[in-house]
Amino acid sequence: MKFANVIAHQAEKKHLIHTVTENRISHAQMFLGPPGSGTVPLAIAYAQYILCQNKQENDSCGACASCTKIQKHNHPDLHFSFPIHLSKEKHIYKSDNVLADWREILDENPYFGDR
Ligand SMILES: [Zn+2]
């Protein structure tokens, strides 16, 4: 996902791009906001910008091999970890076990149905 596809968050986008151009990317960052506010798309756009092989001034290229992998949610350097409901019957104990569902949800609506 490119920054251009993230609704709102203009100040945050500018700040995140600045951290990359100034080579001051924090080793860990939290994107917090109410459900549907777009923090997940913003975090993915930031990861794509960081990993893009042909960065533009204000966005990732969206076309290089790295961008393509991120847009398919299968870049080897982008990992998703999220809380899940524990289920002994389905042996769902970690987010890796529901990653296919996660990718499908991201493809359908990265705002998780609130937009
Ligand atoms: Zn790219």
Side-chain angles (χ1 to χ4, degrees), residues 77-96:
D77 294 330
L78 180 61
H79 301 271
F80 294 103
S81 181
F82 42 86
I84 59 170
H85 174 71
L86 298 179
S87 170
K88 289 183 179 179
E89 293 82 24
K90 295 182 180 179
H91 303 287
I92 299 173
Y93 300 107
K94 58 182 182 176
S95 47
D96 280 354

Side-chain angles (χ1 to χ4, degrees), residues 4-69:
N5 300 118
V6 177
I7 300 168
H9 298 289
Q10 298 308 317
E12 290 84 0
K13 292 177 194 176
K14 185 176 179 181
H15 170 73
L16 294 169
I17 291 167
H18 185 73
T19 66
V20 176
T21 57
E22 295 298 313
N23 202 24
R24 298 180 58 90
I25 302 169
S26 299
H27 74 282
Q29 298 186 48
M30 293 185 81
F31 291 75
L32 300 174
S37 65
T39 52
V40 172
L42 183 63
I44 293 172
Y46 185 46
Q48 182 167 313
Y49 188 69
I50 291 169
L51 296 168
C52 179
Q53 298 163 338
N54 187 25
K55 290 177 187 54
Q56 311 299 304
E57 184 178 344
N58 292 314
D59 215 336
S60 57
C61 75
C64 70
S66 181
C67 285
T68 302
K69 289 177 184 173

